[in-house]
PDB file of all heavy atoms in Angstrom:
ATOM      1  N   THR A 109      39.843   5.835  -1.932  1.00 94.00           N
ATOM      2  CA  THR A 109      39.371   6.920  -2.703  1.00 94.00           C
ATOM      3  C   THR A 109      39.970   6.930  -4.127  1.00 94.00           C
ATOM      4  O   THR A 109      41.245   7.032  -4.187  1.00 94.00           O
ATOM      5  CB  THR A 109      39.615   8.311  -1.965  1.00 94.00           C
ATOM      6  OG1 THR A 109      38.916   8.242  -0.791  1.00 94.00           O
ATOM      7  CG2 THR A 109      39.154   9.469  -2.829  1.00 94.00           C
ATOM      8  N   GLN A 111      40.824   9.216  -7.068  1.00 94.00           N
ATOM      9  CA  GLN A 111      40.840  10.687  -7.352  1.00 94.00           C
ATOM     10  C   GLN A 111      41.423  10.887  -8.820  1.00 94.00           C
ATOM     11  O   GLN A 111      42.606  10.726  -8.995  1.00 94.00           O
ATOM     12  CB  GLN A 111      41.799  11.407  -6.420  1.00 94.00           C
ATOM     13  CG  GLN A 111      42.048  12.902  -6.622  1.00 94.00           C
ATOM     14  CD  GLN A 111      40.884  13.722  -6.384  1.00 94.00           C
ATOM     15  OE1 GLN A 111      40.317  13.753  -5.292  1.00 94.00           O
ATOM     16  NE2 GLN A 111      40.387  14.577  -7.408  1.00 94.00           N
ATOM     17  N   ASP A 112      40.488  11.075  -9.798  1.00 94.00           N
ATOM     18  CA  ASP A 112      41.004  11.313 -11.239  1.00 94.00           C
ATOM     19  C   ASP A 112      41.839  10.125 -11.706  1.00 94.00           C
ATOM     20  O   ASP A 112      42.853  10.338 -12.248  1.00 94.00           O
ATOM     21  CB  ASP A 112      41.688  12.646 -11.373  1.00 94.00           C
ATOM     22  CG  ASP A 112      40.784  13.803 -11.036  1.00 94.00           C
ATOM     23  OD1 ASP A 112      39.620  13.865 -11.488  1.00 94.00           O
ATOM     24  OD2 ASP A 112      41.160  14.761 -10.417  1.00 94.00           O
ATOM     25  N   GLU A 138      35.255   5.577  -2.584  1.00 95.00           N
ATOM     26  CA  GLU A 138      34.852   6.981  -2.702  1.00 95.00           C
ATOM     27  C   GLU A 138      35.295   7.505  -4.036  1.00 95.00           C
ATOM     28  O   GLU A 138      36.511   7.389  -4.425  1.00 95.00           O
ATOM     29  CB  GLU A 138      35.439   7.849  -1.590  1.00 95.00           C
ATOM     30  CG  GLU A 138      35.220   9.343  -1.649  1.00 95.00           C
ATOM     31  CD  GLU A 138      33.823   9.780  -1.372  1.00 95.00           C
ATOM     32  OE1 GLU A 138      33.177   9.036  -0.724  1.00 95.00           O
ATOM     33  OE2 GLU A 138      33.453  10.910  -1.903  1.00 95.00           O
ATOM     34  N   LEU A 139      34.382   8.235  -4.756  1.00 95.00           N
ATOM     35  CA  LEU A 139      34.560   8.800  -6.035  1.00 95.00           C
ATOM     36  C   LEU A 139      34.892  10.271  -5.815  1.00 95.00           C
ATOM     37  O   LEU A 139      34.058  11.044  -5.403  1.00 95.00           O
ATOM     38  CB  LEU A 139      33.490   8.607  -6.987  1.00 95.00           C
ATOM     39  CG  LEU A 139      33.082   7.140  -7.384  1.00 95.00           C
ATOM     40  CD1 LEU A 139      31.833   7.029  -8.286  1.00 95.00           C
ATOM     41  CD2 LEU A 139      34.171   6.340  -7.918  1.00 95.00           C
ATOM     42  N   ASN A 140      36.078  10.619  -6.404  1.00 93.00           N
ATOM     43  CA  ASN A 140      36.480  12.102  -6.379  1.00 93.00           C
ATOM     44  C   ASN A 140      37.051  12.330  -7.779  1.00 93.00           C
ATOM     45  O   ASN A 140      37.912  11.759  -8.240  1.00 93.00           O
ATOM     46  CB  ASN A 140      37.551  12.264  -5.285  1.00 93.00           C
ATOM     47  CG  ASN A 140      37.192  13.344  -4.371  1.00 93.00           C
ATOM     48  OD1 ASN A 140      36.050  13.597  -4.215  1.00 93.00           O
ATOM     49  ND2 ASN A 140      38.168  13.834  -3.514  1.00 93.00           N
ATOM     50  N   GLY A 141      36.469  13.447  -8.368  1.00 92.00           N
ATOM     51  CA  GLY A 141      36.827  13.763  -9.678  1.00 92.00           C
ATOM     52  C   GLY A 141      36.265  12.756 -10.773  1.00 92.00           C
ATOM     53  O   GLY A 141      35.324  12.107 -10.508  1.00 92.00           O
ATOM     54  N   ASP A 169      29.824   8.626  -3.063  1.00 93.00           N
ATOM     55  CA  ASP A 169      30.277   9.923  -3.269  1.00 93.00           C
ATOM     56  C   ASP A 169      29.940  10.835  -2.156  1.00 93.00           C
ATOM     57  O   ASP A 169      29.102  11.706  -2.214  1.00 93.00           O
ATOM     58  CB  ASP A 169      29.861  10.506  -4.566  1.00 93.00           C
ATOM     59  CG  ASP A 169      30.376  11.850  -5.008  1.00 93.00           C
ATOM     60  OD1 ASP A 169      31.482  12.123  -4.464  1.00 93.00           O
ATOM     61  OD2 ASP A 169      29.798  12.575  -5.623  1.00 93.00           O
ATOM     62  N   ASP A 170      30.597  10.622  -0.989  1.00 87.00           N
ATOM     63  CA  ASP A 170      30.415  11.416   0.209  1.00 87.00           C
ATOM     64  C   ASP A 170      31.215  12.561   0.366  1.00 87.00           C
ATOM     65  O   ASP A 170      30.982  13.489   1.276  1.00 87.00           O
ATOM     66  CB  ASP A 170      30.551  10.502   1.457  1.00 87.00           C
ATOM     67  CG  ASP A 170      29.488   9.430   1.579  1.00 87.00           C
ATOM     68  OD1 ASP A 170      28.398   9.569   0.940  1.00 87.00           O
ATOM     69  OD2 ASP A 170      29.677   8.389   2.282  1.00 87.00           O
ATOM     70  N   LEU A 171      32.214  12.789  -0.467  1.00 72.00           N
ATOM     71  CA  LEU A 171      33.266  13.888  -0.334  1.00 72.00           C
ATOM     72  C   LEU A 171      33.189  14.781  -1.551  1.00 72.00           C
ATOM     73  O   LEU A 171      32.972  14.342  -2.640  1.00 72.00           O
ATOM     74  CB  LEU A 171      34.692  13.312  -0.142  1.00 72.00           C
ATOM     75  CG  LEU A 171      34.888  12.387   1.047  1.00 72.00           C
ATOM     76  CD1 LEU A 171      36.284  11.988   0.953  1.00 72.00           C
ATOM     77  CD2 LEU A 171      34.571  13.076   2.349  1.00 72.00           C
ATOM     78  N   ASN A 172      33.310  16.103  -1.181  1.00 56.00           N
ATOM     79  CA  ASN A 172      33.510  17.072  -2.331  1.00 56.00           C
ATOM     80  C   ASN A 172      34.784  16.850  -3.142  1.00 56.00           C
ATOM     81  O   ASN A 172      35.793  16.612  -2.614  1.00 56.00           O
ATOM     82  CB  ASN A 172      33.480  18.439  -1.698  1.00 56.00           C
ATOM     83  CG  ASN A 172      33.457  19.524  -2.792  1.00 56.00           C
ATOM     84  OD1 ASN A 172      34.444  19.834  -3.317  1.00 56.00           O
ATOM     85  ND2 ASN A 172      32.268  20.159  -2.967  1.00 56.00           N
ATOM     86  N   ASN A 173      34.639  16.998  -4.464  1.00 56.00           N
ATOM     87  CA  ASN A 173      35.814  16.684  -5.343  1.00 56.00           C
ATOM     88  C   ASN A 173      36.949  17.613  -5.100  1.00 56.00           C
ATOM     89  O   ASN A 173      38.112  17.293  -5.209  1.00 56.00           O
ATOM     90  CB  ASN A 173      35.341  16.929  -6.816  1.00 56.00           C
ATOM     91  CG  ASN A 173      34.579  15.775  -7.357  1.00 56.00           C
ATOM     92  OD1 ASN A 173      34.589  14.660  -6.776  1.00 56.00           O
ATOM     93  ND2 ASN A 173      33.923  15.971  -8.436  1.00 56.00           N
ATOM     94  N   ASP A 174      36.634  18.870  -4.777  1.00 48.00           N
ATOM     95  CA  ASP A 174      37.676  19.881  -4.591  1.00 48.00           C
ATOM     96  C   ASP A 174      38.399  19.776  -3.369  1.00 48.00           C
ATOM     97  O   ASP A 174      39.618  19.710  -3.280  1.00 48.00           O
ATOM     98  CB  ASP A 174      37.142  21.275  -4.846  1.00 48.00           C
ATOM     99  CG  ASP A 174      36.483  21.456  -6.214  1.00 48.00           C
ATOM    100  OD1 ASP A 174      36.942  20.730  -7.162  1.00 48.00           O
ATOM    101  OD2 ASP A 174      35.408  22.126  -6.328  1.00 48.00           O
ATOM    102  N   ASN A 175      37.743  19.924  -2.226  1.00 46.00           N
ATOM    103  CA  ASN A 175      38.383  19.971  -0.926  1.00 46.00           C
ATOM    104  C   ASN A 175      38.219  18.775  -0.037  1.00 46.00           C
ATOM    105  O   ASN A 175      38.694  18.748   1.121  1.00 46.00           O
ATOM    106  CB  ASN A 175      38.089  21.253  -0.244  1.00 46.00           C
ATOM    107  CG  ASN A 175      36.519  21.402   0.026  1.00 46.00           C
ATOM    108  OD1 ASN A 175      35.820  20.416  -0.020  1.00 46.00           O
ATOM    109  ND2 ASN A 175      36.063  22.594   0.023  1.00 46.00           N
ATOM    110  N   ARG A 176      37.497  17.743  -0.508  1.00 45.00           N
ATOM    111  CA  ARG A 176      37.251  16.549   0.239  1.00 45.00           C
ATOM    112  C   ARG A 176      36.658  16.797   1.600  1.00 45.00           C
ATOM    113  O   ARG A 176      36.876  15.995   2.531  1.00 45.00           O
ATOM    114  CB  ARG A 176      38.570  15.765   0.462  1.00 45.00           C
ATOM    115  CG  ARG A 176      39.246  15.395  -0.893  1.00 45.00           C
ATOM    116  CD  ARG A 176      40.590  14.687  -0.712  1.00 45.00           C
ATOM    117  NE  ARG A 176      40.294  13.383   0.151  1.00 45.00           N
ATOM    118  CZ  ARG A 176      41.148  12.816   0.950  1.00 45.00           C
ATOM    119  NH1 ARG A 176      42.304  13.425   1.118  1.00 45.00           N
ATOM    120  NH2 ARG A 176      40.814  11.658   1.626  1.00 45.00           N
ATOM    121  N   THR A 177      35.780  17.760   1.755  1.00 47.00           N
ATOM    122  CA  THR A 177      34.961  17.975   2.976  1.00 47.00           C
ATOM    123  C   THR A 177      33.663  17.171   2.927  1.00 47.00           C
ATOM    124  O   THR A 177      33.124  16.845   1.794  1.00 47.00           O
ATOM    125  CB  THR A 177      34.755  19.355   3.244  1.00 47.00           C
ATOM    126  OG1 THR A 177      33.985  19.968   2.009  1.00 47.00           O
ATOM    127  CG2 THR A 177      36.037  20.206   3.320  1.00 47.00           C
ATOM    128  N   GLU A 178      33.218  16.908   4.035  1.00 49.00           N
ATOM    129  CA  GLU A 178      31.900  16.168   4.086  1.00 49.00           C
ATOM    130  C   GLU A 178      30.771  16.988   3.448  1.00 49.00           C
ATOM    131  O   GLU A 178      30.628  18.251   3.699  1.00 49.00           O
ATOM    132  CB  GLU A 178      31.557  15.818   5.532  1.00 49.00           C
ATOM    133  CG  GLU A 178      32.246  14.809   6.256  1.00 49.00           C
ATOM    134  CD  GLU A 178      32.035  13.444   5.558  1.00 49.00           C
ATOM    135  OE1 GLU A 178      30.900  13.289   5.062  1.00 49.00           O
ATOM    136  OE2 GLU A 178      32.844  12.588   5.583  1.00 49.00           O
ATOM    137  N   LYS A 179      30.025  16.381   2.564  1.00 49.00           N
ATOM    138  CA  LYS A 179      28.910  17.128   1.904  1.00 49.00           C
ATOM    139  C   LYS A 179      27.791  17.218   2.782  1.00 49.00           C
ATOM    140  O   LYS A 179      27.632  16.512   3.776  1.00 49.00           O
ATOM    141  CB  LYS A 179      28.579  16.294   0.565  1.00 49.00           C
ATOM    142  CG  LYS A 179      29.866  16.213  -0.363  1.00 49.00           C
ATOM    143  CD  LYS A 179      29.485  15.218  -1.461  1.00 49.00           C
ATOM    144  CE  LYS A 179      28.565  15.768  -2.474  1.00 49.00           C
ATOM    145  NZ  LYS A 179      28.364  14.911  -3.536  1.00 49.00           N
ATOM    146  N   GLU A 180      26.859  18.203   2.452  1.00 48.00           N
ATOM    147  CA  GLU A 180      25.682  18.350   3.167  1.00 48.00           C
ATOM    148  C   GLU A 180      24.821  17.186   3.073  1.00 48.00           C
ATOM    149  O   GLU A 180      24.851  16.476   2.014  1.00 48.00           O
ATOM    150  CB  GLU A 180      24.878  19.576   2.641  1.00 48.00           C
ATOM    151  CG  GLU A 180      25.688  20.868   2.886  1.00 48.00           C
ATOM    152  CD  GLU A 180      24.826  21.977   2.251  1.00 48.00           C
ATOM    153  OE1 GLU A 180      23.749  21.792   1.719  1.00 48.00           O
ATOM    154  OE2 GLU A 180      25.341  23.135   2.368  1.00 48.00           O
ATOM    155  N   GLY A 189      25.219  18.076  -1.662  1.00 47.00           N
ATOM    156  CA  GLY A 189      25.890  19.178  -2.169  1.00 47.00           C
ATOM    157  C   GLY A 189      27.257  18.799  -2.765  1.00 47.00           C
ATOM    158  O   GLY A 189      27.621  17.715  -2.886  1.00 47.00           O
ATOM    159  N   GLY A 190      27.982  19.874  -3.215  1.00 52.00           N
ATOM    160  CA  GLY A 190      29.300  19.668  -3.751  1.00 52.00           C
ATOM    161  C   GLY A 190      29.270  19.013  -5.269  1.00 52.00           C
ATOM    162  O   GLY A 190      28.244  18.642  -5.774  1.00 52.00           O
ATOM    163  N   ASP A 191      30.485  18.817  -5.743  1.00 72.00           N
ATOM    164  CA  ASP A 191      30.731  18.371  -7.080  1.00 72.00           C
ATOM    165  C   ASP A 191      30.470  16.842  -7.009  1.00 72.00           C
ATOM    166  O   ASP A 191      30.738  16.088  -6.083  1.00 72.00           O
ATOM    167  CB  ASP A 191      32.039  18.630  -7.621  1.00 72.00           C
ATOM    168  CG  ASP A 191      32.328  20.103  -7.862  1.00 72.00           C
ATOM    169  OD1 ASP A 191      31.273  20.939  -8.032  1.00 72.00           O
ATOM    170  OD2 ASP A 191      33.379  20.481  -7.804  1.00 72.00           O
TER     171      ASP A 191
END
Side-chain angles (χ1 to χ4, degrees):
T109 297
Q111 176 73 54
D112 296 317
E138 171 73 22
L139 298 179
N140 239 15
D169 183 22
D170 291 340
L171 303 177
N172 184 281
N173 284 346
D174 298 325
N175 56 24
R176 301 178 60 209
T177 58
E178 288 289 334
K179 300 169 73 174
E180 296 178 0
D191 297 333

